[in-house]
Amino acid sequence: MYSHLSHLECSRTGERHDADLVQGVSTAGAPLLARYDLERVAATLDKAELATRAATLWRYHEVLPVRDERFVTTLGEGWTPIVDLPAYGRSVGLPRLAMKDEGLIPTGTFKARGASVGVSRAAELGVRGIGMPTNGNAGSAWATYAARAGLPSLIIMPEGAPEITRVECAAAGAELYLVDGLIGDAGAIVHEAIGRRPGWQEVSTLKEPYRLEGKKTMGYELAEQLGWRLPDVILYPTGGGVGLIGIHKALLEMRELGWISGPLPRWVAVQATGCAPIVRAYAAGARESEPFPDARTVAFGITVPKALGDFLVLDAIRETDGCAVEVTDEDLLAEQRRLASSDGAFICPEGAACLAAARDLRESGWIGEDEHMLVINTGTGIKYPDTVEVRAPLLPIGGRVPDAGDVLR
């Protein structure tokens, strides 16, 4: 069997739902989680066999939802590297700091994972078109993979979303609209529109079950790449939180499969001070978050005032003795530039927020110097060119640059 998908389960009540029908949220209005026959997976798949398979996320197809390989829609996504950050790590007192770099993936962000699996399953279930609100990167990824699968896409994003993501959607032939508001405002318009389009599926964050399954493959990959030994701490930039929820789900699945053992990494959910609903809920000991007023941050991908799966993020943090922290836009932009100049990695502002958080947590003593830390960088910095100011003098033809010593002085 290509997939050992069993059923879908309500994340709040545990109620079972049919996995072979097009589904949104559960009857309780909560995200649906894909469940697999893990006993059968364990009996038929040795984790050592994975090394013989193609270096894409589809190497884990037994625990992905697509039943028929013919429907797999892929651009070679997955198997992104884990990169040590020696110079930066030493400078902040974290010599064992590493980064899983999702900037080196089709469409330039980890959103390609969810789009690949979500579009593949939609095509398999006979969906006629997909529609979604987006802060930019998810929309460009889903538009790209929908085009590859031969499906039309409706994408609505805030007017302030990164311009490059508009270009990607337009290039992929998406039906694109901008809204003078935030992602929630875009979501309301999408929901109404999909109701008037028979056979179309709304694929908003966690309002369909399979984006999460694509994101969880980051967890399978990092475990395999690290020789099935897990880091002590994982820092994740958290907006909708799908990647954090997904990786945590993968770790729980692998533990049940017997592929990993011991304590799970402590989760750190990182947000910006301009939009930190998870941080506030964590500090208050709340089960879920409240909508964050006047949300605004340069890390546009984590500008989510109220996440549908916030309670799942908070559960993962508390189950692992983790925490939720916020950093300022000024600090995350400073760390973005600092990493690029020290280790040559130009990452997205969301990923840079995790570096700012790592520095702060080390200074407070929450993270020890000898701990193995893994930052998830969710995208390439090239998609956010406005975050770096460029001051380059204009030389005349035949002009002369200063001597190196003069520049250094």
Side-chain angles (χ1 to χ4, degrees), residues 46-390:
D46 187 324
K47 66 184 181 183
E49 182 187 331
L50 297 171
T52 68
R53 297 182 176 181
T56 77
L57 65 81
W58 293 98
R59 70 200 278 131
Y60 309 110
H61 59 79
E62 286 90 347
V63 288
L64 291 174
V66 177
R67 298 193 188 279
D68 188 336
E69 188 177 3
R70 293 176 301 167
F71 290 97
V72 169
T73 304
T74 181
L75 289 165
E77 57 290 324
W79 206 246
T80 54
I82 292 178
V83 182
D84 290 333
L85 303 175
Y88 180 87
R90 285 193 302 270
S91 73
V92 296
L94 292 168
R96 300 184 66 197
L97 177 64
M99 172 179 71
K100 186 161 177 61
D101 192 1
E102 291 290 294
L104 305 176
I105 201 169
T107 76
T109 76
F110 75 130
K111 303 290 187 178
R113 293 180 184 269
S116 176
V117 175
V119 167
S120 296
R121 185 61 172 153
E124 185 171 44
L125 293 176
V127 169
R128 295 172 59 184
I130 58 102
M132 68 184 304
T134 178
N135 274 328
N137 285 316
S140 62
W142 281 74
T144 298
Y145 281 84
R148 188 162 179 83
L151 294 175
S153 60
L154 166 67
I155 310 294
I156 304 181
M157 65 176 68
E159 185 181 17
E163 186 173 359
I164 184 65
T165 61
R166 303 185 200 178
V167 174
E168 291 175 291
C169 290
E175 183 183 352
L176 174 66
Y177 300 92
L178 306 179
V179 63
D180 184 15
L182 297 176
I183 190 169
D185 304 300
I189 298 173
V190 168
H191 183 73
E192 189 277 334
I194 295 300
R196 294 184 282 104
R197 298 188 179 198
W200 282 56
Q201 183 181 17
E202 181 182 351
V203 294
S204 306
T205 303
L206 292 177
K207 289 189 176 180
E208 61 82 45
Y210 303 118
R211 181 195 302 208
L212 176 64
E213 296 304 289
K215 301 282 187 70
K216 85 176 181 186
T217 57
M218 289 185 287
Y220 279 93
E221 284 180 15
L222 70 87
E224 186 179 359
Q225 289 170 321
L226 295 173
W228 307 104
R229 299 186 61 174
L230 302 177
D232 297 303
V233 180
I234 301 178
L235 292 96
Y236 192 88
T238 307
V242 181
L244 190 156
I245 298 165
I247 296 173
H248 189 64
K249 182 175 186 287
L251 297 178
L252 294 176
E253 289 175 355
M254 285 185 283
R255 189 162 65 181
E256 188 172 342
L257 288 167
W259 291 2
I260 60 173
S261 59
L264 298 183
R266 306 196 307 276
W267 276 111
V268 179
V270 182
Q271 298 195 300
T273 54
C275 185
I278 299 293
V279 175
R280 289 189 177 181
Y282 170 76
R287 180 76 172 91
E288 58 185 69
S289 68
E290 296 294 330
F292 196 91
D294 193 28
R296 193 177 305 275
T297 170
V298 68
F300 208 77
I302 53 176
T303 313
V304 180
K306 168 67 175 174
L308 182 64
D310 54 4
F311 67 99
L312 295 171
V313 173
L314 289 161
D315 285 349
I317 293 170
R318 289 169 177 145
E319 288 169 10
T320 60
D321 296 322
C323 66
V325 298
E326 59 186 274
V327 299
T328 67
D329 279 4
E330 292 76 16
D331 281 351
L332 69 88
L333 289 175
E335 299 312 302
Q336 182 192 43
R337 293 189 294 271
R338 187 175 176 183
L339 179 67
S341 62
S342 66
D343 284 281
F346 182 32
I347 67 176
C348 66
E350 295 84 2
C354 291
L355 295 178
R359 181 203 61 201
D360 291 348
L361 291 171
R362 176 69 191 103
E363 290 176 356
S364 71
W366 192 88
I367 295 172
E369 181 179 10
D370 294 332
E371 291 195 282
H372 182 195
M373 301 228 354
L374 184 66
V375 164
I376 307 294
N377 173 47
T378 50
T380 175
I382 295 172
K383 300 193 82 169
Y384 298 82
D386 294 339
T387 60
V388 177
E389 184 179 2
V390 179

